[in-house]
């Protein structure tokens, strides 16, 4: 109805609303002055207010037994002039406060205007206990909210470009350009949220000033601001809060995000700008941490950016950062959106004492990342840059990870670089280029720099055909270099028939090292694979050919594999039987022989049986090979397992494995069908358990070689829900043997909201000495953040980190047998010098 009036050309619409919650003793004139002002967003002219005629209802004396009349629907009176003010008489509101309006989509939602919001008064949200606000001593009492089962009265809706003002009592002249006041449960509804307070003053031109229990709630309902006063700009729909503070659960996994400032401005897109801000996720900032920054910008559902920020632990300032970026996204794409703001500190024997920090940046959803700053007392200063750049249409993304450090020990400059670029040229064609350069392998490690580049283009169609074109180059200093050019083609000829073609050309060169002569090798590889699925059989025809000046690969010219899809023994269904037949012509350049080969392979089982409370399974594999040279080979393998529960808490498992071979070891081919030695092995595992309280197992193994074998043991116990004990090792009979090193791991509570983990090896042959000790300690402070510390004896490393509980999934894994290393450019086993650490919250 309102939208139809606006489309008719009405610049301003005055609404007179009779509220069911007027203060006691209100007169008929008060009821007539209760109003709703509805304006088109962007109108700067003053509002003209037209009063509606008050409808008189019978008094109790006129009708001793009045019956409730049906709720009237809004009526529209005739316009006073074409395009002029309209009169709208809405139904009276219920005496109880209706539920808040449904949330509107945030700016990050799908394109298009949000659905209209129902015009209803909003209740004042409860104040947070963690950050007390300065509130006037007087004011109306907050009315209780209705029960969830209460059904709100149907009402008018608010368009996305409009705003509405609701109140109990109007004071002032309802003429153009004249100021006016509203008192009692004043509510302003606009596109991005709801403003509320006890009193509102309109200056007749542009601004509405609110006071008394003022608040702002966003459309999603997960963020609330409180302030001493609010100024609402009717032209831009910006809300300015004086001495504001607020709380939000947007993007927070545990607890809330608390912030306050001297001035807060919330614009029509829901973005909040805070001057002289204070930010924390702790209910008690003095007992935890907080960040004081010059400015703070909160983007709903995206991020919070603090500039010129100082980190406080309690009342102690510990770190200054030029910018802090906290992601409020739930669907993260790696840690680049979560750079974190708490550094990690530590010590290692090779690096000395060090501190590692990230400085995040995120000017948009299409460019974000962080800078790495790492200082080592022994090595020097390391700087890094990690970023993601995307096109707005999503067709291209570039990831950059760069790091450089100048080693003060030998004066060398070491650099690592990784660039990955992906682009969709069309709906059927895409490409990718990846570049990696590794010059820093960690402390005390000097190796030639390695350079790798990979490029590929892929094209596909709706039928399933696709072609791939690739190029790669790898070089290690002046020692070696390899270039590879590749082409693959997949044809889906029908549902039963498909063909794959692979063609590659590789050239490798080596400068020679450690007495090995250098040289160049060129290899051309051609392979086809045709696959056909029939009703009863599956066929694969392979042609695999190499052409090289250093030939070592066995060539298939060609090879046919046939697999029956049905049981070859249809009357024998108790045991599953699968077979495979292969025949082909092969060329082995190592043996300098070309001959035919035929192979038959059959697998029976696994066969399952249950008797005397025991479970038995068996499997048999038979393979027979024939060659054109007259040679024959055969292999038979069998596996049997028997599991028997002895008592309710005791289970015994016996397994037997046997492999028998017959025929020449490496004839006629030197690298195909090479036989191993026969094998017999039996294992017996005895397990005693009592639910999850403890589990004890003994493992005995024999190879039937008349030699005593080691007996393994393992104990797992959980004395309490927060404690665990793991003990494992082996015992070898015989003089000079006995117990080998025993691994011990303990996790136990260590005070209130604290945990201690300890892992070590007991060397029984060295006076029970504890070796390879690892200690991990975790303590929660104020239900807000975790302090973590770890020690590794072998590497002589100590780590200390702080992880916010509000963002636990954005931190790295941390604990025994886990390394606080993420997204490092350095190879996996050499990561101690330049690793990156977890995200918002400063996890390692």
């Amino acid at each position: 109805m309102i939208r139809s009036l606006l489309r008719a050309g009405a610049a301003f619409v005055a609404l007179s609303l009779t509220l069911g919650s007027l203060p006691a003793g209100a007169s008929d004139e008060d009821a007539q002055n209760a109003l709703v002002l509805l304006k088109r967003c962007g109108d700067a002219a003053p509002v003209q207010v037209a009063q509606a005629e008050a409808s008189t209802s019978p008094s109790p004396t006129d009708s001793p037994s009045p019956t409730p009349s049906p709720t009237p629907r809004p009526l529209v009176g005739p316009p006073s002039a074409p395009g002029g003010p309209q009169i709208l008489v809405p139904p009276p509101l219920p005496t109880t406060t209706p539920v808040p309006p449904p949330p509107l989509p945030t700016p990050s939602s799908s394109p298009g205007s949000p659905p209209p919001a129902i015009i209803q008064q909003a209740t004042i949200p409860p104040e947070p206990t963690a950050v007390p606000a300065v509130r006037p001593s007087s004011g109306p009492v907050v009315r209780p909210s209705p029960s969830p089962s209460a059904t709100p009265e149907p009402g008018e809706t608010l368009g996305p470009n409009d705003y509405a003002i609701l109140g109990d009592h109007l004071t002032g002249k309802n003429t153009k350009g004249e100021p006016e006041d509203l008192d009692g449960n004043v509510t302003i509804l606009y596109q991005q949220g709801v403003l509320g307070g006890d009193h509102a003053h309109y200056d007749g031109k542009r601004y509405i000033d609110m006071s008394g229990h003022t608040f702002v709630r966003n459309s999603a309902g997960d963020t609330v601001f409180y302030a001493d006063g609010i100024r609402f700009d009717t032209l831009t729909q910006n809300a300015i809060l004086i001495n504001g503070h607020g709380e939000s659960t947007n993007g927070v996994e545990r607890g809330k995000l608390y912030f306050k400032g001297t001035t807060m401005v919330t614009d029509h897109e829901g973005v909040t700008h805070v001057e002289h801000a204070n930010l924390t996720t702790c209910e008690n900032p003095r007992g935890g941490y907080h960040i004081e920054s010059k400015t703070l910008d909160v983007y709903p559902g995206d991020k919070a950016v603090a500039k010129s920020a100082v980190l406080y632990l309690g009342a102690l300032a510990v770190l200054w950062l030029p910018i802090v970026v906290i992601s409020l996204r739930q669907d993260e794409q790696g840690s680049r959106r979560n750079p974190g703001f708490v550094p990690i500190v530590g010590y290692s024997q090779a690096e000395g004492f060090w501190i590692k920090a990230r400085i995040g940046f995120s000017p948009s959803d299409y460019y974000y990342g962080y800078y790495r700053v790492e200082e080592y007392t022994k090595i020097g200063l390391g700087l890094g840059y990690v970023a993601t750049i995307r096109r707005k249409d999503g067709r291209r993304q570039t990831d950059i990870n760069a790091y450089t450090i100048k080693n003060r020990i030998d004066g060398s400059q070491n650099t690592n670089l990784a660039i990955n670029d992906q682009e969709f040229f069309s709906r059927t064609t895409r490409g990718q280029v990846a570049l990696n350069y590794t010059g820093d392998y960690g402390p005390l490690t000097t190796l030639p720099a390695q350079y790798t580049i990979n490029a590929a283009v892929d094209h596909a169609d709706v039928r399933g055909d696709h072609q791939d074109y690739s190029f790669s180059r790898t070089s290690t200093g002046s020692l070696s270099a390899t270039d590879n050019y590749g082409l693959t083609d997949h044809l889906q000829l029908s549902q039963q028939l498909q063909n794959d073609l692979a063609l590659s050309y590789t050239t490798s060169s080596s400068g020679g090292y450690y007495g090995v002569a250098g040289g160049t090798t060129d290899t051309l590889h051609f392979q086809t694979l045709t696959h056909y699925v029939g009703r009863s059989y599956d066929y694969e025809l392979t042609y695999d050919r190499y052409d090289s000046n250093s030939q070592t690969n066995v060539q298939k010219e060609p090879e046919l594999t046939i697999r029956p899809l049905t049981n070859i023994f249809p009357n024998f269904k108790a045991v599953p039987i699968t077979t495979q037949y292969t025949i082909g012509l092969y060329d082995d350049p190592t043996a300098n022989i070309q001959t035919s080969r035929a192979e038959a392979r059959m697998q029976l089982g696994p066969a399952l049986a249950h008797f005397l409370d025991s479970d038995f399974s068996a499997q048999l594999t038979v393979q027979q090979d024939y060659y054109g040279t007259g040679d024959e080979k055969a292999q038979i393998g069998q596996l049997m397992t028997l599991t028997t529960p002895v008592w309710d808490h005791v289970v015994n498992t016996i397994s037997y494995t046997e492999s028998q071979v017959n025929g020449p070891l490496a004839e006629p081919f030197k690298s195909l069908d090479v036989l191993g030695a026969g094998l017999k092995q039996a294992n017996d595992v005895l397990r005693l358990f009592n639910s999850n309280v403890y589990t004890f197992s003994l493992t005995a193994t024999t190879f039937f070689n008349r030699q005593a074998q080691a007996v393994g043991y393992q104990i797992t116990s959980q004395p309490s829900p927060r404690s665990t004990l793991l003990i494992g090792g082996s015992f070898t009979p015989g003089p000079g043997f006995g117990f080998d090193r025993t691994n011990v791991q303990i996790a136990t509570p260590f005070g209130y909201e604290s945990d201690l983990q300890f892992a070590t090896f007991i060397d029984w042959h060295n006076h029970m000495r504890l070796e390879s000790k690892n200690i991990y300690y975790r303590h929660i402070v104020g239900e807000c953040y975790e302090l973590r510390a770890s020690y590794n004896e072998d590497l002589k490393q100590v780590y200390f980190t702080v992880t916010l509980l509000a963002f636990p999934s954005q931190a790295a894994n941390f604990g025994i047998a886990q390394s606080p290393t993420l997204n490092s450019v350095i190879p996996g086993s050499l990561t101690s010098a330049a690793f990156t650490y977890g995200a918002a919250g400063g996890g390692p």
Side-chain angles (χ1 to χ4, degrees), residues 56-371:
T56 58
S57 57
S59 63
T61 56
D62 297 332
S63 177
S65 304
T67 58
S69 59
T71 302
R73 298 300 301 163
L75 301 176
V76 179
S80 58
Q86 304 290 324
I87 300 176
L88 180 67
V89 183
L93 295 178
T95 56
T96 58
T97 305
V99 297
L104 299 176
T106 61
S108 60
S109 61
S110 59
S113 301
I118 301 176
I119 301 178
Q120 295 176 337
Q121 284 183 293
T123 60
I124 301 176
E127 281 278 4
T129 58
V131 185
V134 179
R135 303 293 298 274
S137 58
S138 61
V141 179
V142 179
R143 293 174 296 173
S145 302
S147 61
S149 60
T151 302
E153 182 77 18
E156 291 298 323
T157 58
L158 179 66
N161 296 323
D162 303 319
Y163 66 90
I165 310 173
L166 293 85
D168 293 342
H169 179 70
L170 170 68
T171 304
K173 298 180 179 180
N174 297 325
T175 58
K176 180 177 181 180
E178 294 294 333
E180 52 202 47
D181 294 88
L182 277 173
D183 291 286
N185 302 293
V186 180
T187 301
I188 300 179
L189 297 97
Y190 66 114
Q191 181 176 358
Q192 289 301 325
V194 179
L195 285 76
D198 298 334
H199 174 78
H201 171 74
Y202 176 57
D203 62 2
K205 298 179 179 180
R206 179 174 179 176
Y207 296 103
I208 301 176
D209 294 307
M210 303 184 67
S211 61
H213 298 85
T214 55
F215 69 91
V216 180
R217 183 175 58 227
N218 69 337
S219 58
D222 54 18
T223 303
V224 180
F225 300 92
Y226 305 90
D228 295 345
I230 300 177
R231 166 166 283 193
F232 181 71
D233 190 334
T234 61
L235 180 61
T236 63
Q237 290 199 0
N238 290 353
I240 304 174
L241 289 74
I242 307 300
N243 293 330
H245 61 276
E247 59 185 37
S248 176
T249 59
N250 182 265
V252 179
E253 301 176 35
R254 176 173 172 178
K256 296 180 180 180
L257 187 67
Y258 303 96
F259 40 85
K260 62 181 179 180
T262 57
T263 303
M264 292 184 178
V265 180
T266 302
D267 61 20
H268 65 283
E269 294 182 351
V271 179
T272 301
H273 177 78
V274 186
E275 294 286 343
H276 303 289
N278 186 303
L279 174 69
T280 183
T281 57
C282 301
E283 292 187 6
N284 180 17
R286 292 187 175 275
Y289 83 96
H290 69 277
I291 297 174
E292 294 185 3
S293 63
K294 185 176 180 180
T295 62
L296 173 67
D297 294 287
V298 181
Y299 300 85
D302 186 10
K303 62 191 173 183
V305 181
K307 297 181 179 179
S308 187
V310 179
L311 173 64
Y312 287 82
L313 292 181
L316 178 64
V318 296
L319 181 66
W320 175 87
L321 290 172
I323 187 171
V324 171
V325 180
I326 301 177
S327 176
L328 303 178
R329 292 176 177 266
Q330 296 289 352
D331 51 345
E332 294 303 330
Q333 299 178 358
S335 62
R336 297 187 179 188
R337 288 189 182 271
N338 303 284
F341 52 87
V342 181
I344 61 173
V345 295
Y347 169 83
S348 68
Q349 191 176 35
E351 301 164 331
F353 291 96
W354 47 258
I355 180 171
K356 305 179 183 183
R358 289 178 174 180
I359 301 175
F361 59 86
S362 181
S364 69
D365 287 341
Y366 311 103
Y367 177 54
Y368 51 87
Y370 57 87
Y371 301 100

Side-chain angles (χ1 to χ4, degrees), residues 757 776-777 788-790 799-801 803 812-816 818-820 844:
Q757 295 184 25
Y776 163 72
Y777 175 74
R788 302 180 175 187
S790 69
Y799 291 93
F800 179 78
T801 64
T803 301
N813 292 331
F814 198 79
I816 290 179
Q818 295 178 348
S819 174

Side-chain angles (χ1 to χ4, degrees), residues 607-611 614-618 641-642:
L608 305 177
H610 180 78
F611 59 93
S614 299
D615 294 318
F616 175 79
S617 67
T641 302
L642 177 65

Side-chain angles (χ1 to χ4, degrees), residues 562-583:
I562 304 174
R563 303 182 185 91
L565 300 179
T566 58
N567 197 335
I568 61 175
F569 303 105
N571 297 326
F572 187 72
K573 299 181 180 180
V575 178
I577 301 175
T578 58
T579 56
Q580 175 179 301
Y581 308 98
T582 304
I583 186 172

